[in-house]
Amino acid sequence: MNLEELIYKRFSEAEGLIRHLTLYDGLPAIFFPQAPEDNQPGWVGKNQYPNVVYSFDMQANQERKSIGTLSVDLLCQNAVEVEPEEIEKEIKGCLRDVLLKPDGGPPYAFTWSRTDAFTLEEHDLIIGSEIRFDILEYSCQETTDPDPIAALNSYVKELYPECVVIGLDRMEEITEASVKKPVIYCRLLAVEKNRETNTVVWMDGRIAVHVLCPDSEKRMKMAAAIANQMSLDGEIIMLDKSPMFIKRLQADYQSDYLKSGQIFATVQYGLLRYKAKPHSLQGAKGNYI
């Protein structure tokens, strides 16, 4: 499925949302990128509200650290008992701590940005809300051997085998972070050369670790436990068996766990100039019968 289809699947399977919506052709009135005209036969009677129309713009916004924007327009009749705020709550719940992975693409997360209420000028009884979400890309951060992200992914997985570690575990089309199965995302912020010797080039890297979990208490405890264990160990063994030293570590439990992360580590690891060559068998002779 592509991203459009995954968002539709998420909305259309949320019972708390669709029970408030009218029907179109027997399905919940959820549309992309616009709703059918008023005179289309698919509407049930003359009832066209409430309905949801969504669209997204995959244009990066470095200021908000987002890869795009998702807009969800909610239209309701002013006379009905259901308030737009109640339906808005269900829409936010559909995308909270959820990762959607389209075919051939990276996982995407969504964080609420703002909500703007409005009234249709040509229909005084129609009120609505435009709900905006920032789209965050959680692409795989693994690079080449020796790889600091691959090492940290394996390290965290050993600490919390029940977690889904992005870049290490297989991702489904829809992954919900939960108390029993949090999601961990390790992200490489920057790498620079520190010093070099005849045999090793020492690199300094800065890494952010995101802990995704809907329960704030569980989220903070996990972030603290990971930070404490990294501090106690002082180093992480990389896949080539070389050490990656934890030079500096900071934990910020009040930061935006979706956009920024909670753990920030400065690490140092070495690139070998010369790799040991395996022994080769030379001068061997054999007798053939």
Side-chain angles (χ1 to χ4, degrees):
M1 292 185 180
N2 58 32
L3 185 57
E4 170 197 334
E5 294 168 333
L6 288 174
I7 295 173
Y8 178 84
K9 178 179 175 66
R10 189 67 184 166
F11 285 159
S12 63
E13 294 182 352
E15 294 186 2
L17 172 61
I18 63 176
R19 66 187 176 92
H20 295 303
L21 303 181
T22 188
L23 299 178
Y24 181 83
D25 278 344
L27 297 174
I30 303 170
F31 308 105
F32 175 92
Q34 60 186 18
E37 296 294 335
D38 298 353
N39 56 2
Q40 294 298 310
W43 295 109
V44 178
K46 295 183 178 181
N47 183 22
Q48 301 168 24
Y49 307 99
N51 67 59
V52 167
V53 181
Y54 67 96
S55 62
F56 53 85
D57 178 14
M58 300 302 283
Q59 183 175 357
N61 187 318
Q62 296 300 325
E63 182 179 349
R64 295 204 307 264
K65 300 180 181 179
S66 67
I67 198 66
T69 302
L70 169 66
S71 297
V72 182
D73 289 338
L74 169 64
L75 295 175
C76 300
Q77 287 180 317
N78 198 16
V80 298
E81 296 180 357
V82 181
E83 297 291 334
E85 291 78 11
E86 184 176 348
I87 306 179
E88 178 188 345
K89 180 181 178 181
E90 298 295 339
I91 292 173
K92 290 180 179 178
C94 290
L95 299 175
R96 184 179 296 114
D97 295 315
V98 172
L99 295 171
L100 303 183
K101 187 181 185 307
D103 294 336
Y108 293 104
F110 304 83
T111 178
W112 175 78
S113 175
R114 58 182 292 178
T115 298
D116 296 317
F118 61 86
T119 301
L120 295 184
E121 295 181 359
E122 62 273 22
H123 300 286
D124 293 337
L125 296 180
I126 305 303
I127 59 176
S129 299
E130 182 186 25
I131 310 163
R132 287 182 172 267
F133 298 86
D134 288 336
I135 304 176
L136 311 177
E137 181 181 319
Y138 281 17
S139 57
C140 179
Q141 295 285 298
E142 295 186 5
T143 55
T144 58
D145 193 34
D147 192 329
I149 295 299
L152 188 54
N153 283 345
S154 299
Y155 179 85
V156 173
K157 188 67 176 180
E158 289 185 9
L159 293 178
Y160 291 100
E162 72 276 12
C163 289
V164 175
V165 179
I166 298 176
L168 182 63
D169 292 320
R170 179 181 178 275
M171 299 292 294
E172 302 292 338
E173 287 184 331
I174 300 177
T175 301
E176 293 186 47
S178 64
V179 174
K180 293 184 178 180
K181 186 177 286 189
V183 175
I184 306 293
Y185 180 50
C186 300
R187 181 166 56 95
L188 188 62
L189 301 178
V191 176
E192 63 178 344
K193 185 172 74 173
N194 180 289
R195 67 185 191 280
E196 57 183 301
T197 66
N198 290 335
T199 57
V200 181
V201 176
W202 290 99
M203 307 295 292
D204 286 344
R206 184 162 170 79
I207 298 174
V209 181
H210 303 244
V211 180
L212 280 64
C213 179
D215 185 275
S216 58
E217 183 178 347
K218 172 74 172 180
R219 189 168 62 237
M220 187 177 72
K221 285 183 178 180
M222 283 191 62
I226 294 172
N228 290 345
Q229 193 62 51
M230 291 175 65
S231 299
L232 290 172
D233 291 339
E235 65 180 28
I236 295 173
I237 303 302
M238 305 182 78
L239 301 185
D240 65 352
K241 306 305 180 183
S242 65
M244 179 173 70
F245 300 105
I246 310 297
K247 306 298 291 184
R248 184 181 178 187
L249 192 141
Q250 175 189 4
D252 184 355
Y253 306 124
Q254 302 301 318
S255 68
D256 189 325
Y257 65 95
L258 289 171
K259 289 186 176 182
S260 302
Q262 302 102 311
I263 304 169
F264 307 93
T266 299
V267 300
Q268 189 174 91
Y269 59 97
L271 304 177
L272 293 178
R273 291 185 181 276
Y274 311 102
K275 293 187 178 181
K277 295 183 178 180
H279 294 288
S280 58
L281 187 62
Q282 298 179 351
K285 298 181 178 180
N287 296 322
Y288 295 92
I289 300 177

